[in-house]
Amino acid sequence: MASVLLFSPPNPPCPKIPKKANQGFTKRFLRLVPSRRVVITAALEKDEGRGGEDKTPAFNPFGFVTDNPSSREAIQLPESPAEAGNVGQMLYRIEDKGKEYGSYVKSGGFRWFVRETGSSESRRGTVVFIHGAPTQSYSYRVVMAQMADAGFHCFAPDWIGFGFSEKPQPGYGFNYTEEEFHEEFDKILEVLSIKSPLLLVVQGFLVGSYGLTWALKNPSRISKLAILNSPLTAKSSIPGLFQQLRIPLFGEFTSQNAVMAERFIEAGSPYVLKLEKADVYRLPYLASSGPGFALLEAARKADFKDISSRIETGFSSGRWDIPILLAWGVSDKYLPKSEAEEFQKGNPDIVKLTMIEGSGHMPQEDWPEKVVDALRTFL
């Protein structure tokens, strides 16, 4: 275990502080790579016992992680050192979280984790939910439960390389290209006995976009399409995470940040994730280096601008006539509502736009009840 100690500058000397005032010290730990845990004792930033003197905090090289609101709480060590444990013990405490409605399925030589609610006898049809990167199908758990209550049969797979599904090394049967994602998606639909036409719900970047390009290749297999916040035009911005992943060496380091997924979610949302939710989003990245390197490979193989351009053109008037619901989280900090409005203008007779107030980049996580209301009305 590697340890790093950071202290405030020794000049002027720090006076002795009573225990009740010693509130400036906090303990943190961070798992940066699968085999190492870094323990950080943060600097004394400011203490009221110094007569209100405002001290500049010591430089913290790990601030890119410890400045995350949910992570500050999530990675605080307990009072008893015996409870601090190590990465293995922490995984043991959270390894069963986040698998609601899910089971493992073998498809195309890979092990998929798939969530399912409702039954094949559900009267209103089958809905398939596709998540974006770097998250997982866990984001749909509440939406799926409520949609099942409304009479739908719902499936939400963790895409290969994400969540609890298998994360093969590039070159060993899967290279994280758009074409391969499409091929494996076809196979999992067949294994799950999902008949066409289906109701497709898509959200997010990268694999979420691949869900839309799959739809463009298979319009006859879709009865209706619902799109939650996803890049839809050639002008769509690319979040900093994906830009960082494409930088040599820096990308490798970024991909192994255990709190990467939750930070991405929070950066695109007006809310901070609760600890129990943050646990689930970070779990795959704590368990092994696999999901980080899978994301790294997928991000470097993707041509984001080309994909968004094809989506904008493919769903425009005269090219696409299947009903589309565009349910948009208004407070998305990655994709503004103007993008949704521009996309609708490209096919106004087909695209129905519903703005979801109070939601950010992942409305299914921020406000699932409003997403369900929009879906039930549309589907």
Side-chain angles (χ1 to χ4, degrees):
M1 177 179 72
S3 298
V4 178
L5 299 179
L6 304 175
F7 298 96
S8 297
N11 188 21
C14 178
K16 187 174 182 179
I17 303 170
K19 286 185 179 180
K20 65 179 181 179
N22 187 17
Q23 299 175 349
F25 289 102
T26 56
K27 296 179 180 179
R28 299 285 188 268
F29 80 85
L30 165 69
R31 176 185 176 278
L32 290 178
V33 293
S35 61
R36 305 187 70 182
R37 182 176 59 140
V38 179
V39 179
I40 303 171
T41 302
L44 178 62
E45 299 177 356
K46 180 179 178 182
D47 194 277
E48 295 178 355
R50 295 187 178 185
E53 182 181 2
D54 189 1
K55 301 296 293 182
T56 301
F59 172 68
N60 181 358
F62 298 101
F64 71 97
V65 172
T66 58
D67 64 1
N68 179 37
S70 68
S71 298
R72 283 202 299 271
E73 176 184 1
I75 64 179
Q76 183 170 355
L77 292 174
E79 292 296 326
S80 172
E83 296 177 8
N86 52 35
V87 171
Q89 288 176 310
M90 183 175 68
L91 285 170
Y92 176 76
R93 291 195 293 269
I94 65 176
E95 63 182 355
D96 291 329
K97 287 186 176 182
K99 295 186 177 181
E100 293 92 337
Y101 318 117
S103 61
Y104 287 96
V105 177
K106 193 74 172 181
S107 171
F110 299 110
R111 192 167 181 248
W112 291 67
F113 182 79
V114 181
R115 300 174 198 272
E116 179 182 6
T117 60
S119 73
S120 57
E121 304 302 319
S122 296
R123 65 187 185 280
R124 300 191 65 182
T126 301
V127 187
V128 177
F129 295 87
I130 297 180
H131 67 84
T135 63
Q136 51 179 289
S137 64
Y138 174 74
S139 64
Y140 286 115
R141 65 201 178 281
V142 178
V143 171
M144 292 180 67
Q146 295 185 12
M147 290 294 287
D149 291 341
F152 293 93
H153 190 196
C154 304
F155 292 93
D158 283 350
W159 281 61
I160 295 175
F162 297 85
F164 300 109
S165 286
E166 190 170 347
K167 304 155 187 77
Q169 294 184 21
Y172 289 84
F174 196 75
N175 287 312
Y176 297 94
T177 64
E178 178 182 4
E179 182 180 359
E180 288 172 311
F181 274 116
H182 288 174
E183 291 174 355
E184 296 303 327
F185 187 54
D186 284 334
K187 294 175 184 178
I188 191 65
L189 292 178
E190 182 177 355
V191 168
L192 295 173
S193 300
I194 297 176
K195 299 178 181 179
S196 299
L198 56 88
L199 308 167
L200 186 66
V201 180
V202 174
Q203 184 274 328
F205 288 90
L206 200 56
V207 290
S209 295
Y210 291 163
L212 291 176
T213 56
W214 179 88
L216 289 173
K217 291 171 61 176
N218 298 275
S220 64
R221 301 179 66 179
I222 299 172
S223 60
K224 290 185 178 182
L225 173 64
I227 305 173
L228 311 181
N229 299 53
S230 302
L232 298 174
T233 72
K235 298 178 182 178
S236 297
S237 61
I238 303 174
L241 170 63
F242 298 112
Q243 297 180 39
Q244 293 168 9
L245 289 168
R246 299 165 79 94
I247 301 174
L249 297 181
F250 188 67
E252 279 74 6
F253 178 76
T254 300
S255 73
Q256 296 307 309
N257 182 352
V259 296
M260 169 178 54
E262 70 196 71
R263 289 204 71 203
F264 181 83
I265 295 169
E266 290 178 341
S269 168
Y271 308 109
V272 174
L273 287 173
K274 291 184 177 180
L275 175 57
E276 59 268 22
K277 298 179 183 179
D279 274 345
V280 178
Y281 285 112
R282 80 166 65 98
L283 181 55
Y285 299 93
L286 282 170
S288 77
S289 62
F293 286 124
L295 175 64
L296 181 72
E297 191 72 14
R300 289 180 173 177
K301 293 282 179 64
D303 185 336
F304 289 91
K305 291 298 183 182
D306 173 67
I307 294 169
S308 296
S309 179
R310 283 189 280 127
I311 289 171
E312 180 178 22
T313 302
F315 289 108
S316 61
S317 296
R319 291 175 175 267
W320 184 269
D321 58 3
I322 298 170
I324 295 177
L325 168 67
L326 197 54
W328 204 264
V330 175
S331 299
D332 190 340
K333 298 177 183 178
Y334 298 127
L335 301 168
K337 66 177 184 179
S338 58
E339 176 148 347
E341 293 168 342
E342 182 178 347
F343 180 79
Q344 185 194 32
K345 290 178 182 177
N347 199 345
D349 295 331
I350 296 298
V351 179
K352 175 186 177 182
L353 177 59
T354 299
M355 293 296 186
I356 303 180
E357 299 288 344
S359 294
H361 180 62
M362 290 175 60
Q364 73 270 33
E365 182 68 80
D366 290 343
W367 213 314
E369 295 80 7
K370 288 188 176 182
V371 172
V372 170
D373 287 343
L375 289 175
R376 290 179 61 180
T377 300
F378 174 66
L379 299 178

